[in-house]
Short mmCIF file of all heavy atoms in Angstrom, two decimals:
data_model
loop_
_atom_site.label_atom_id
_atom_site.label_comp_id
_atom_site.label_asym_id
_atom_site.label_seq_id
_atom_site.Cartn_x
_atom_site.Cartn_y
_atom_site.Cartn_z
N ASP A 18 38.64 -6.19 9.63
CA ASP A 18 37.57 -5.34 9.14
C ASP A 18 36.26 -6.03 9.16
O ASP A 18 35.27 -5.38 8.98
CB ASP A 18 37.84 -4.84 7.79
CG ASP A 18 39.03 -3.78 7.68
OD1 ASP A 18 39.12 -3.08 8.65
OD2 ASP A 18 39.78 -3.81 6.68
N ARG A 19 36.17 -7.32 9.43
CA ARG A 19 34.88 -8.00 9.32
C ARG A 19 33.90 -7.50 10.28
O ARG A 19 32.72 -7.45 9.92
CB ARG A 19 35.19 -9.57 9.55
CG ARG A 19 35.70 -10.22 8.34
CD ARG A 19 35.92 -11.69 8.49
NE ARG A 19 36.66 -12.24 7.40
CZ ARG A 19 37.49 -13.25 7.48
NH1 ARG A 19 37.66 -13.85 8.58
NH2 ARG A 19 38.11 -13.76 6.34
N PRO A 20 34.15 -7.22 11.51
CA PRO A 20 33.09 -6.73 12.42
C PRO A 20 32.41 -5.44 11.81
O PRO A 20 31.18 -5.30 11.88
CB PRO A 20 33.73 -6.43 13.70
CG PRO A 20 34.89 -7.33 13.80
CD PRO A 20 35.36 -7.46 12.37
N ALA A 21 33.19 -4.59 11.23
CA ALA A 21 32.71 -3.32 10.71
C ALA A 21 31.86 -3.57 9.39
O ALA A 21 30.81 -3.00 9.20
CB ALA A 21 33.84 -2.35 10.31
N VAL A 22 32.34 -4.58 8.59
CA VAL A 22 31.53 -4.90 7.35
C VAL A 22 30.30 -5.60 7.73
O VAL A 22 29.21 -5.38 7.11
CB VAL A 22 32.44 -5.68 6.41
CG1 VAL A 22 31.70 -6.23 5.19
CG2 VAL A 22 33.61 -4.79 5.96
N PHE A 23 30.38 -6.55 8.62
CA PHE A 23 29.08 -7.25 9.11
C PHE A 23 28.19 -6.25 9.70
O PHE A 23 26.92 -6.37 9.56
CB PHE A 23 29.47 -8.37 10.01
CG PHE A 23 29.79 -9.66 9.42
CD1 PHE A 23 31.05 -9.91 8.92
CD2 PHE A 23 28.81 -10.66 9.17
CE1 PHE A 23 31.35 -11.15 8.32
CE2 PHE A 23 29.08 -11.93 8.69
CZ PHE A 23 30.37 -12.15 8.15
N ALA A 24 28.72 -5.27 10.40
CA ALA A 24 27.80 -4.23 11.04
C ALA A 24 27.16 -3.39 9.93
O ALA A 24 25.94 -2.94 10.06
CB ALA A 24 28.62 -3.37 11.99
N ALA A 25 27.90 -3.12 8.90
CA ALA A 25 27.30 -2.37 7.73
C ALA A 25 26.12 -3.08 6.97
O ALA A 25 25.11 -2.57 6.78
CB ALA A 25 28.43 -2.01 6.68
N GLN A 26 26.36 -4.41 6.92
CA GLN A 26 25.26 -5.21 6.32
C GLN A 26 24.06 -5.31 7.31
O GLN A 26 22.92 -5.16 6.89
CB GLN A 26 25.79 -6.70 6.15
CG GLN A 26 24.74 -7.77 5.96
CD GLN A 26 23.87 -7.66 4.76
OE1 GLN A 26 24.05 -6.80 3.91
NE2 GLN A 26 22.93 -8.57 4.63
N PHE A 27 24.33 -5.42 8.56
CA PHE A 27 23.24 -5.37 9.58
C PHE A 27 22.40 -4.08 9.49
O PHE A 27 21.22 -4.05 9.48
CB PHE A 27 23.89 -5.55 10.96
CG PHE A 27 22.90 -5.84 12.09
CD1 PHE A 27 22.39 -7.11 12.21
CD2 PHE A 27 22.47 -4.83 12.97
CE1 PHE A 27 21.47 -7.36 13.23
CE2 PHE A 27 21.61 -5.14 13.97
CZ PHE A 27 21.13 -6.39 14.07
N ALA A 28 23.22 -2.95 9.46
CA ALA A 28 22.52 -1.66 9.43
C ALA A 28 21.69 -1.45 8.11
O ALA A 28 20.62 -1.03 8.07
CB ALA A 28 23.49 -0.53 9.69
N LEU A 29 22.40 -1.67 7.03
CA LEU A 29 21.80 -1.40 5.65
C LEU A 29 20.64 -2.33 5.33
O LEU A 29 19.64 -1.95 4.81
CB LEU A 29 22.83 -1.48 4.54
CG LEU A 29 23.88 -0.46 4.64
CD1 LEU A 29 25.00 -0.69 3.64
CD2 LEU A 29 23.35 0.95 4.37
N SER A 30 20.76 -3.65 5.78
CA SER A 30 19.65 -4.60 5.54
C SER A 30 18.49 -4.14 6.33
O SER A 30 17.28 -4.21 5.86
CB SER A 30 20.03 -6.03 5.89
OG SER A 30 20.42 -6.11 7.23
N HIS A 31 18.63 -3.66 7.60
CA HIS A 31 17.51 -3.23 8.42
C HIS A 31 16.98 -1.93 7.92
O HIS A 31 15.81 -1.59 8.15
CB HIS A 31 17.86 -3.25 9.91
CG HIS A 31 17.95 -4.64 10.51
ND1 HIS A 31 19.07 -5.31 10.53
CD2 HIS A 31 16.95 -5.37 11.06
CE1 HIS A 31 18.82 -6.55 11.07
NE2 HIS A 31 17.52 -6.62 11.43
N ALA A 32 17.78 -1.17 7.29
CA ALA A 32 17.28 0.16 6.66
C ALA A 32 16.27 -0.22 5.62
O ALA A 32 15.28 0.54 5.41
CB ALA A 32 18.41 0.99 6.04
N CYS A 33 16.47 -1.25 4.89
CA CYS A 33 15.54 -1.74 3.89
C CYS A 33 14.17 -2.15 4.54
O CYS A 33 13.17 -1.85 4.06
CB CYS A 33 16.10 -2.97 3.10
SG CYS A 33 17.55 -2.52 2.04
N TRP A 34 14.32 -2.86 5.64
CA TRP A 34 13.11 -3.20 6.44
C TRP A 34 12.41 -1.97 6.86
O TRP A 34 11.14 -1.95 6.99
CB TRP A 34 13.41 -4.15 7.54
CG TRP A 34 13.82 -5.58 7.06
CD1 TRP A 34 15.03 -6.04 6.96
CD2 TRP A 34 12.83 -6.62 6.78
NE1 TRP A 34 14.90 -7.36 6.54
CE2 TRP A 34 13.61 -7.73 6.42
CE3 TRP A 34 11.51 -6.71 6.82
CZ2 TRP A 34 13.08 -8.98 6.07
CZ3 TRP A 34 10.88 -7.92 6.45
CH2 TRP A 34 11.61 -9.01 6.13
N LEU A 35 13.14 -1.02 7.37
CA LEU A 35 12.54 0.26 7.86
C LEU A 35 11.70 0.92 6.77
O LEU A 35 10.69 1.57 7.02
CB LEU A 35 13.68 1.15 8.38
CG LEU A 35 13.24 2.34 9.22
CD1 LEU A 35 12.49 1.94 10.46
CD2 LEU A 35 14.43 3.13 9.69
N LEU A 36 12.05 0.72 5.45
CA LEU A 36 11.35 1.24 4.38
C LEU A 36 10.11 0.35 4.05
O LEU A 36 8.99 0.84 3.90
CB LEU A 36 12.21 1.33 3.19
CG LEU A 36 11.51 1.60 1.76
CD1 LEU A 36 10.86 2.98 1.78
CD2 LEU A 36 12.48 1.41 0.70
N THR A 37 10.29 -0.92 3.99
CA THR A 37 9.26 -1.82 3.45
C THR A 37 8.15 -2.24 4.54
O THR A 37 7.03 -2.55 4.09
CB THR A 37 9.82 -3.14 2.89
OG1 THR A 37 10.65 -3.79 3.91
CG2 THR A 37 10.78 -2.79 1.71
N TYR A 38 8.54 -2.19 5.85
CA TYR A 38 7.55 -2.48 6.79
C TYR A 38 6.37 -1.55 6.73
O TYR A 38 5.24 -1.98 6.57
CB TYR A 38 8.10 -2.42 8.24
CG TYR A 38 8.63 -3.76 8.77
CD1 TYR A 38 9.81 -3.75 9.67
CD2 TYR A 38 8.01 -4.92 8.55
CE1 TYR A 38 10.24 -4.97 10.16
CE2 TYR A 38 8.48 -6.12 9.12
CZ TYR A 38 9.56 -6.08 9.88
OH TYR A 38 10.05 -7.29 10.42
N PRO A 39 6.57 -0.24 6.81
CA PRO A 39 5.46 0.79 6.73
C PRO A 39 4.80 0.77 5.38
O PRO A 39 3.54 0.87 5.17
CB PRO A 39 6.03 2.09 7.12
CG PRO A 39 7.50 1.94 6.87
CD PRO A 39 7.83 0.47 7.15
N LEU A 40 5.65 0.50 4.35
CA LEU A 40 5.06 0.51 2.92
C LEU A 40 4.05 -0.66 2.82
O LEU A 40 3.04 -0.50 2.19
CB LEU A 40 6.26 0.34 1.92
CG LEU A 40 5.83 0.40 0.44
CD1 LEU A 40 5.34 1.80 0.15
CD2 LEU A 40 7.10 0.14 -0.41
N ALA A 41 4.37 -1.87 3.38
CA ALA A 41 3.45 -2.96 3.25
C ALA A 41 2.23 -2.67 3.99
O ALA A 41 1.12 -2.94 3.49
CB ALA A 41 4.16 -4.24 3.75
N GLY A 42 2.28 -2.21 5.21
CA GLY A 42 1.05 -1.90 5.99
C GLY A 42 0.22 -0.82 5.45
O GLY A 42 -1.02 -0.95 5.29
N TRP A 43 0.85 0.22 5.02
CA TRP A 43 0.09 1.45 4.46
C TRP A 43 -0.54 1.06 3.15
O TRP A 43 -1.81 1.43 2.95
CB TRP A 43 1.04 2.65 4.31
CG TRP A 43 0.39 3.82 3.71
CD1 TRP A 43 -0.44 4.72 4.33
CD2 TRP A 43 0.43 4.20 2.30
NE1 TRP A 43 -0.87 5.65 3.40
CE2 TRP A 43 -0.36 5.37 2.20
CE3 TRP A 43 1.06 3.72 1.22
CZ2 TRP A 43 -0.54 6.03 1.02
CZ3 TRP A 43 0.92 4.40 0.02
CH2 TRP A 43 0.16 5.59 -0.09
N THR A 44 0.15 0.44 2.19
CA THR A 44 -0.45 0.09 0.92
C THR A 44 -1.61 -0.81 1.07
O THR A 44 -2.70 -0.69 0.42
CB THR A 44 0.68 -0.47 -0.02
OG1 THR A 44 1.77 0.37 -0.04
CG2 THR A 44 0.12 -0.71 -1.43
N MET A 45 -1.41 -1.88 1.99
CA MET A 45 -2.51 -2.86 2.18
C MET A 45 -3.75 -2.14 2.75
O MET A 45 -4.86 -2.47 2.33
CB MET A 45 -1.98 -3.87 3.18
CG MET A 45 -3.00 -4.99 3.36
SD MET A 45 -2.89 -6.25 2.04
CE MET A 45 -3.85 -7.53 2.79
N THR A 46 -3.51 -1.26 3.65
CA THR A 46 -4.70 -0.55 4.35
C THR A 46 -5.35 0.47 3.40
O THR A 46 -6.57 0.48 3.28
CB THR A 46 -4.24 0.20 5.59
OG1 THR A 46 -3.58 -0.72 6.53
CG2 THR A 46 -5.39 0.84 6.25
#
């Protein structure tokens, strides 16, 4: 099951970046 669990971590961690990237730029501007 490790490939699936590592893939879940990969997807969910990048979902966090998908939220914070625009938040950082928009708030700063």
Side-chain angles (χ1 to χ4, degrees):
D18 290 325
R19 281 180 189 150
V22 173
F23 273 83
Q26 160 67 2
F27 190 80
L29 292 172
S30 63
H31 283 92
C33 293
W34 287 97
L35 195 57
L36 168 68
T37 58
Y38 267 145
L40 187 64
W43 177 79
T44 308
M45 185 79 168
T46 302

